[in-house]
Amino acid sequence: MSTGLEALQQAFKQLRLSEVSLELPVLMREAEQQSWTYHEFLNHLLTFELNRRDEKNKAKRLKWAKFPYHKTLDDYEMNEQTSLTERQMRQLKEMNWLEQQYNLILLGPPGVGKTHLAIGMGLEAIEQGYQVMFLPMGELMTILKTSEYTRKSQLALGRIKKADLIIIEDLMYMAMDQREANQFFHLINHLYERSSIILTSNKSPDQWGELLGDEGIATACDC
């Protein structure tokens, strides 16, 4: 009996059903106790494997996103601001904008919940199977400036380019020189129509040209 069970577990591992392999003894006992049919037993095996894979993939996507904290859209206090309606919030949750690769800009002074909204949309995207990256502007610029000669930055830039949603926090918090502005523009240009971007900023778009040192680049970045 033990040898037979071990052989089954090994077979499941070879078929890359590793989650079922580990849980097989428990599922077999439950099948006996509940008198499952063959169809029910097979359904439980496959459902367990798929659910565990989904949980692991979701955990990987969350780790990859690098959120500074986790706050969902449901946690957002709608009564504390007037610029976002309930209807708009429902539209954000539906994620149609992400499916269509639209970009979002969240503007306003500190404390109005821009980062909370951005993270909430990122978490919702992860729940729906999308890959997300959260990057403060300073960290992004460091990656861009060092990607030519450090492996770590090269890997980070590769992940950014593969993500379905990139959240750039605190856009234009400081002025850029011409080289930095060009690197940033080339990244945005690469991501355009490949991914969705959420930008948060305390600065209005009419200030971006001064901070970038180039009105043309600022216009191109105004998603």
Side-chain angles (χ1 to χ4, degrees), residues 1-29 41 45 48-49:
M1 178 73 177
S2 176
T3 303
L5 177 58
E6 290 174 1
L8 283 173
Q9 288 179 295
Q10 186 60 36
F12 277 119
K13 285 182 181 178
Q14 291 176 346
L15 291 169
R16 300 186 184 279
L17 299 171
S18 57
E19 299 299 330
V20 163
S21 172
L22 294 171
E23 193 70 9
L24 188 59
V26 175
L27 291 170
M28 290 181 67
R29 284 197 299 271
F41 183 51
L45 288 177
F48 181 83
E49 179 73 26

mmCIF file of all heavy atoms in Angstrom, residues 1-29 41 45 48-49:
data_model
loop_
_atom_site.group_PDB
_atom_site.id
_atom_site.type_symbol
_atom_site.label_atom_id
_atom_site.label_comp_id
_atom_site.label_asym_id
_atom_site.label_seq_id
_atom_site.Cartn_x
_atom_site.Cartn_y
_atom_site.Cartn_z
ATOM 1 N N MET A 1 0.844 -1.210 0.000
ATOM 2 C CA MET A 1 0.000 0.000 0.000
ATOM 3 C C MET A 1 0.869 1.246 0.000
ATOM 4 O O MET A 1 0.692 2.151 -0.797
ATOM 5 C CB MET A 1 -0.919 -0.013 1.223
ATOM 6 C CG MET A 1 -1.810 1.223 1.354
ATOM 7 S SD MET A 1 -3.142 1.214 0.136
ATOM 8 C CE MET A 1 -4.018 2.702 0.610
ATOM 9 N N SER A 2 1.866 1.276 0.893
ATOM 10 C CA SER A 2 2.751 2.420 0.966
ATOM 11 C C SER A 2 3.550 2.573 -0.316
ATOM 12 O O SER A 2 3.713 3.659 -0.853
ATOM 13 C CB SER A 2 3.681 2.273 2.177
ATOM 14 O OG SER A 2 4.607 3.332 2.194
ATOM 15 N N THR A 3 4.070 1.418 -0.817
ATOM 16 C CA THR A 3 4.847 1.443 -2.041
ATOM 17 C C THR A 3 3.994 1.927 -3.204
ATOM 18 O O THR A 3 4.430 2.711 -4.044
ATOM 19 C CB THR A 3 5.421 0.045 -2.355
ATOM 20 O OG1 THR A 3 6.200 -0.387 -1.256
ATOM 21 C CG2 THR A 3 6.281 0.090 -3.607
ATOM 22 N N GLY A 4 2.710 1.457 -3.253
ATOM 23 C CA GLY A 4 1.817 1.887 -4.323
ATOM 24 C C GLY A 4 1.551 3.368 -4.274
ATOM 25 O O GLY A 4 1.527 4.040 -5.312
ATOM 26 N N LEU A 5 1.360 3.900 -3.084
ATOM 27 C CA LEU A 5 1.117 5.329 -2.924
ATOM 28 C C LEU A 5 2.342 6.137 -3.352
ATOM 29 O O LEU A 5 2.221 7.154 -4.050
ATOM 30 C CB LEU A 5 0.768 5.636 -1.466
ATOM 31 C CG LEU A 5 0.542 7.117 -1.121
ATOM 32 C CD1 LEU A 5 -0.571 7.711 -1.971
ATOM 33 C CD2 LEU A 5 0.226 7.268 0.358
ATOM 34 N N GLU A 6 3.515 5.674 -2.952
ATOM 35 C CA GLU A 6 4.735 6.374 -3.343
ATOM 36 C C GLU A 6 4.924 6.352 -4.851
ATOM 37 O O GLU A 6 5.384 7.347 -5.438
ATOM 38 C CB GLU A 6 5.939 5.730 -2.647
ATOM 39 C CG GLU A 6 5.974 5.972 -1.140
ATOM 40 C CD GLU A 6 7.090 5.196 -0.463
ATOM 41 O OE1 GLU A 6 7.845 4.497 -1.185
ATOM 42 O OE2 GLU A 6 7.202 5.288 0.769
ATOM 43 N N ALA A 7 4.566 5.238 -5.478
ATOM 44 C CA ALA A 7 4.680 5.149 -6.929
ATOM 45 C C ALA A 7 3.737 6.137 -7.607
ATOM 46 O O ALA A 7 4.087 6.781 -8.603
ATOM 47 C CB ALA A 7 4.378 3.721 -7.399
ATOM 48 N N LEU A 8 2.525 6.259 -7.064
ATOM 49 C CA LEU A 8 1.568 7.229 -7.614
ATOM 50 C C LEU A 8 2.080 8.654 -7.457
ATOM 51 O O LEU A 8 1.985 9.480 -8.372
ATOM 52 C CB LEU A 8 0.217 7.072 -6.916
ATOM 53 C CG LEU A 8 -0.664 5.889 -7.320
ATOM 54 C CD1 LEU A 8 -1.880 5.806 -6.417
ATOM 55 C CD2 LEU A 8 -1.107 6.037 -8.780
ATOM 56 N N GLN A 9 2.607 8.947 -6.282
ATOM 57 C CA GLN A 9 3.136 10.296 -6.033
ATOM 58 C C GLN A 9 4.277 10.614 -6.993
ATOM 59 O O GLN A 9 4.374 11.738 -7.519
ATOM 60 C CB GLN A 9 3.609 10.422 -4.579
ATOM 61 C CG GLN A 9 2.470 10.471 -3.577
ATOM 62 C CD GLN A 9 2.973 10.576 -2.155
ATOM 63 O OE1 GLN A 9 3.617 9.661 -1.648
ATOM 64 N NE2 GLN A 9 2.685 11.703 -1.510
ATOM 65 N N GLN A 10 5.145 9.628 -7.218
ATOM 66 C CA GLN A 10 6.255 9.835 -8.144
ATOM 67 C C GLN A 10 5.750 10.060 -9.563
ATOM 68 O O GLN A 10 6.282 10.905 -10.299
ATOM 69 C CB GLN A 10 7.203 8.627 -8.108
ATOM 70 C CG GLN A 10 8.471 8.802 -8.930
ATOM 71 C CD GLN A 10 9.310 9.977 -8.461
ATOM 72 O OE1 GLN A 10 9.398 10.271 -7.271
ATOM 73 N NE2 GLN A 10 9.933 10.682 -9.405
ATOM 74 N N ALA A 11 4.703 9.317 -9.938
ATOM 75 C CA ALA A 11 4.126 9.491 -11.273
ATOM 76 C C ALA A 11 3.541 10.895 -11.439
ATOM 77 O O ALA A 11 3.703 11.530 -12.486
ATOM 78 C CB ALA A 11 3.046 8.425 -11.514
ATOM 79 N N PHE A 12 2.860 11.380 -10.399
ATOM 80 C CA PHE A 12 2.310 12.732 -10.463
ATOM 81 C C PHE A 12 3.430 13.776 -10.592
ATOM 82 O O PHE A 12 3.296 14.764 -11.322
ATOM 83 C CB PHE A 12 1.456 13.026 -9.223
ATOM 84 C CG PHE A 12 0.058 12.502 -9.320
ATOM 85 C CD1 PHE A 12 -0.420 11.559 -8.422
ATOM 86 C CD2 PHE A 12 -0.803 12.953 -10.318
ATOM 87 C CE1 PHE A 12 -1.715 11.072 -8.517
ATOM 88 C CE2 PHE A 12 -2.099 12.482 -10.413
ATOM 89 C CZ PHE A 12 -2.557 11.536 -9.517
ATOM 90 N N LYS A 13 4.537 13.555 -9.870
ATOM 91 C CA LYS A 13 5.665 14.474 -9.980
ATOM 92 C C LYS A 13 6.221 14.498 -11.395
ATOM 93 O O LYS A 13 6.546 15.553 -11.941
ATOM 94 C CB LYS A 13 6.767 14.071 -9.001
ATOM 95 C CG LYS A 13 6.470 14.410 -7.547
ATOM 96 C CD LYS A 13 7.643 14.019 -6.657
ATOM 97 C CE LYS A 13 7.344 14.341 -5.197
ATOM 98 N NZ LYS A 13 8.464 13.919 -4.312
ATOM 99 N N GLN A 14 6.356 13.310 -12.005
ATOM 100 C CA GLN A 14 6.870 13.234 -13.364
ATOM 101 C C GLN A 14 5.943 13.926 -14.360
ATOM 102 O O GLN A 14 6.396 14.452 -15.385
ATOM 103 C CB GLN A 14 7.081 11.770 -13.758
ATOM 104 C CG GLN A 14 8.218 11.102 -13.001
ATOM 105 C CD GLN A 14 8.364 9.634 -13.334
ATOM 106 O OE1 GLN A 14 7.472 9.021 -13.925
ATOM 107 N NE2 GLN A 14 9.491 9.053 -12.956
ATOM 108 N N LEU A 15 4.660 13.947 -14.057
ATOM 109 C CA LEU A 15 3.687 14.641 -14.899
ATOM 110 C C LEU A 15 3.581 16.126 -14.551
ATOM 111 O O LEU A 15 2.711 16.821 -15.070
ATOM 112 C CB LEU A 15 2.308 13.975 -14.748
ATOM 113 C CG LEU A 15 2.178 12.569 -15.345
ATOM 114 C CD1 LEU A 15 0.871 11.924 -14.897
ATOM 115 C CD2 LEU A 15 2.251 12.623 -16.862
ATOM 116 N N ARG A 16 4.462 16.569 -13.664
ATOM 117 C CA ARG A 16 4.501 17.967 -13.222
ATOM 118 C C ARG A 16 3.223 18.382 -12.480
ATOM 119 O O ARG A 16 2.790 19.522 -12.559
ATOM 120 C CB ARG A 16 4.772 18.905 -14.403
ATOM 121 C CG ARG A 16 6.097 18.632 -15.098
ATOM 122 C CD ARG A 16 6.383 19.661 -16.166
ATOM 123 N NE ARG A 16 7.608 19.352 -16.888
ATOM 124 C CZ ARG A 16 8.842 19.634 -16.471
ATOM 125 N NH1 ARG A 16 9.007 20.237 -15.312
ATOM 126 N NH2 ARG A 16 9.898 19.320 -17.193
ATOM 127 N N LEU A 17 2.634 17.423 -11.776
ATOM 128 C CA LEU A 17 1.490 17.694 -10.897
ATOM 129 C C LEU A 17 1.986 17.602 -9.458
ATOM 130 O O LEU A 17 1.511 16.792 -8.653
ATOM 131 C CB LEU A 17 0.355 16.707 -11.168
ATOM 132 C CG LEU A 17 -0.235 16.739 -12.591
ATOM 133 C CD1 LEU A 17 -1.192 15.577 -12.796
ATOM 134 C CD2 LEU A 17 -0.955 18.058 -12.833
ATOM 135 N N SER A 18 2.936 18.457 -9.131
ATOM 136 C CA SER A 18 3.631 18.340 -7.853
ATOM 137 C C SER A 18 2.741 18.633 -6.660
ATOM 138 O O SER A 18 2.911 18.059 -5.580
ATOM 139 C CB SER A 18 4.842 19.286 -7.836
ATOM 140 O OG SER A 18 4.428 20.623 -8.090
ATOM 141 N N GLU A 19 1.773 19.560 -6.824
ATOM 142 C CA GLU A 19 0.895 19.889 -5.700
ATOM 143 C C GLU A 19 0.017 18.695 -5.336
ATOM 144 O O GLU A 19 -0.176 18.368 -4.165
ATOM 145 C CB GLU A 19 0.033 21.105 -6.042
ATOM 146 C CG GLU A 19 0.820 22.368 -6.336
ATOM 147 C CD GLU A 19 1.667 22.819 -5.169
ATOM 148 O OE1 GLU A 19 1.268 22.568 -4.022
ATOM 149 O OE2 GLU A 19 2.720 23.425 -5.400
ATOM 150 N N VAL A 20 -0.534 18.035 -6.334
ATOM 151 C CA VAL A 20 -1.342 16.831 -6.101
ATOM 152 C C VAL A 20 -0.487 15.732 -5.490
ATOM 153 O O VAL A 20 -0.930 15.002 -4.597
ATOM 154 C CB VAL A 20 -1.985 16.338 -7.416
ATOM 155 C CG1 VAL A 20 -2.458 14.899 -7.292
ATOM 156 C CG2 VAL A 20 -3.167 17.222 -7.785
ATOM 157 N N SER A 21 0.751 15.618 -5.956
ATOM 158 C CA SER A 21 1.651 14.596 -5.432
ATOM 159 C C SER A 21 1.802 14.719 -3.921
ATOM 160 O O SER A 21 1.726 13.719 -3.191
ATOM 161 C CB SER A 21 3.012 14.712 -6.110
ATOM 162 O OG SER A 21 3.944 13.860 -5.499
ATOM 163 N N LEU A 22 1.976 15.933 -3.431
ATOM 164 C CA LEU A 22 2.157 16.139 -1.998
ATOM 165 C C LEU A 22 0.873 15.899 -1.215
ATOM 166 O O LEU A 22 0.903 15.417 -0.083
ATOM 167 C CB LEU A 22 2.656 17.575 -1.751
ATOM 168 C CG LEU A 22 4.047 17.913 -2.285
ATOM 169 C CD1 LEU A 22 4.322 19.405 -2.163
ATOM 170 C CD2 LEU A 22 5.115 17.112 -1.547
ATOM 171 N N GLU A 23 -0.262 16.257 -1.818
ATOM 172 C CA GLU A 23 -1.541 16.187 -1.112
ATOM 173 C C GLU A 23 -2.264 14.860 -1.325
ATOM 174 O O GLU A 23 -3.309 14.615 -0.721
ATOM 175 C CB GLU A 23 -2.432 17.347 -1.600
ATOM 176 C CG GLU A 23 -3.682 17.614 -0.767
ATOM 177 C CD GLU A 23 -3.379 18.191 0.601
ATOM 178 O OE1 GLU A 23 -2.199 18.561 0.858
ATOM 179 O OE2 GLU A 23 -4.315 18.293 1.419
ATOM 180 N N LEU A 24 -1.712 13.982 -2.152
ATOM 181 C CA LEU A 24 -2.403 12.756 -2.532
ATOM 182 C C LEU A 24 -2.881 11.905 -1.358
ATOM 183 O O LEU A 24 -4.036 11.449 -1.362
ATOM 184 C CB LEU A 24 -1.512 11.929 -3.463
ATOM 185 C CG LEU A 24 -2.177 10.690 -4.100
ATOM 186 C CD1 LEU A 24 -3.392 11.100 -4.918
ATOM 187 C CD2 LEU A 24 -1.174 9.931 -4.959
ATOM 188 N N PRO A 25 -2.068 11.658 -0.325
ATOM 189 C CA PRO A 25 -2.563 10.845 0.793
ATOM 190 C C PRO A 25 -3.817 11.434 1.448
ATOM 191 O O PRO A 25 -4.759 10.703 1.786
ATOM 192 C CB PRO A 25 -1.387 10.835 1.770
ATOM 193 C CG PRO A 25 -0.193 11.087 0.919
ATOM 194 C CD PRO A 25 -0.655 12.037 -0.135
ATOM 195 N N VAL A 26 -3.843 12.738 1.622
ATOM 196 C CA VAL A 26 -5.007 13.400 2.231
ATOM 197 C C VAL A 26 -6.226 13.275 1.328
ATOM 198 O O VAL A 26 -7.328 12.969 1.793
ATOM 199 C CB VAL A 26 -4.690 14.897 2.489
ATOM 200 C CG1 VAL A 26 -5.940 15.617 3.005
ATOM 201 C CG2 VAL A 26 -3.552 15.033 3.485
ATOM 202 N N LEU A 27 -6.042 13.503 0.034
ATOM 203 C CA LEU A 27 -7.159 13.426 -0.905
ATOM 204 C C LEU A 27 -7.704 12.005 -1.010
ATOM 205 O O LEU A 27 -8.924 11.804 -1.128
ATOM 206 C CB LEU A 27 -6.713 13.922 -2.288
ATOM 207 C CG LEU A 27 -6.410 15.423 -2.387
ATOM 208 C CD1 LEU A 27 -5.760 15.758 -3.722
ATOM 209 C CD2 LEU A 27 -7.690 16.239 -2.210
ATOM 210 N N MET A 28 -6.810 11.004 -0.930
ATOM 211 C CA MET A 28 -7.265 9.608 -0.999
ATOM 212 C C MET A 28 -8.075 9.232 0.235
ATOM 213 O O MET A 28 -9.101 8.551 0.136
ATOM 214 C CB MET A 28 -6.064 8.675 -1.176
ATOM 215 C CG MET A 28 -5.409 8.782 -2.552
ATOM 216 S SD MET A 28 -4.014 7.663 -2.778
ATOM 217 C CE MET A 28 -4.834 6.063 -2.763
ATOM 218 N N ARG A 29 -7.640 9.693 1.414
ATOM 219 C CA ARG A 29 -8.398 9.420 2.638
ATOM 220 C C ARG A 29 -9.769 10.078 2.568
ATOM 221 O O ARG A 29 -10.783 9.471 2.952
ATOM 222 C CB ARG A 29 -7.628 9.924 3.871
ATOM 223 C CG ARG A 29 -6.469 9.058 4.282
ATOM 224 C CD ARG A 29 -6.021 9.371 5.698
ATOM 225 N NE ARG A 29 -5.574 10.756 5.833
ATOM 226 C CZ ARG A 29 -4.316 11.148 5.613
ATOM 227 N NH1 ARG A 29 -3.402 10.271 5.243
ATOM 228 N NH2 ARG A 29 -3.974 12.415 5.760
ATOM 229 N N PHE A 41 -13.398 12.143 -7.674
ATOM 230 C CA PHE A 41 -12.009 12.080 -7.225
ATOM 231 C C PHE A 41 -11.086 12.785 -8.210
ATOM 232 O O PHE A 41 -10.234 13.592 -7.823
ATOM 233 C CB PHE A 41 -11.584 10.622 -7.050
ATOM 234 C CG PHE A 41 -10.188 10.449 -6.522
ATOM 235 C CD1 PHE A 41 -9.765 11.126 -5.384
ATOM 236 C CD2 PHE A 41 -9.292 9.609 -7.165
ATOM 237 C CE1 PHE A 41 -8.486 10.955 -4.884
ATOM 238 C CE2 PHE A 41 -7.998 9.445 -6.673
ATOM 239 C CZ PHE A 41 -7.594 10.121 -5.540
ATOM 240 N N LEU A 45 -8.769 16.159 -7.626
ATOM 241 C CA LEU A 45 -7.332 16.180 -7.884
ATOM 242 C C LEU A 45 -6.947 17.368 -8.759
ATOM 243 O O LEU A 45 -6.030 18.133 -8.441
ATOM 244 C CB LEU A 45 -6.899 14.879 -8.578
ATOM 245 C CG LEU A 45 -6.875 13.598 -7.759
ATOM 246 C CD1 LEU A 45 -6.482 12.421 -8.653
ATOM 247 C CD2 LEU A 45 -5.904 13.706 -6.596
ATOM 248 N N PHE A 48 -7.607 20.837 -7.101
ATOM 249 C CA PHE A 48 -6.592 21.140 -6.091
ATOM 250 C C PHE A 48 -5.304 21.611 -6.758
ATOM 251 O O PHE A 48 -4.712 22.616 -6.339
ATOM 252 C CB PHE A 48 -6.304 19.899 -5.235
ATOM 253 C CG PHE A 48 -5.284 20.131 -4.159
ATOM 254 C CD1 PHE A 48 -5.647 20.691 -2.944
ATOM 255 C CD2 PHE A 48 -3.949 19.807 -4.374
ATOM 256 C CE1 PHE A 48 -4.704 20.929 -1.960
ATOM 257 C CE2 PHE A 48 -2.998 20.039 -3.388
ATOM 258 C CZ PHE A 48 -3.372 20.601 -2.176
ATOM 259 N N GLU A 49 -4.857 20.914 -7.788
ATOM 260 C CA GLU A 49 -3.627 21.288 -8.487
ATOM 261 C C GLU A 49 -3.739 22.682 -9.090
ATOM 262 O O GLU A 49 -2.840 23.527 -8.945
ATOM 263 C CB GLU A 49 -3.323 20.267 -9.590
ATOM 264 C CG GLU A 49 -2.069 20.566 -10.400
ATOM 265 C CD GLU A 49 -0.788 20.306 -9.642
ATOM 266 O OE1 GLU A 49 -0.791 19.467 -8.716
ATOM 267 O OE2 GLU A 49 0.239 20.949 -9.982
#
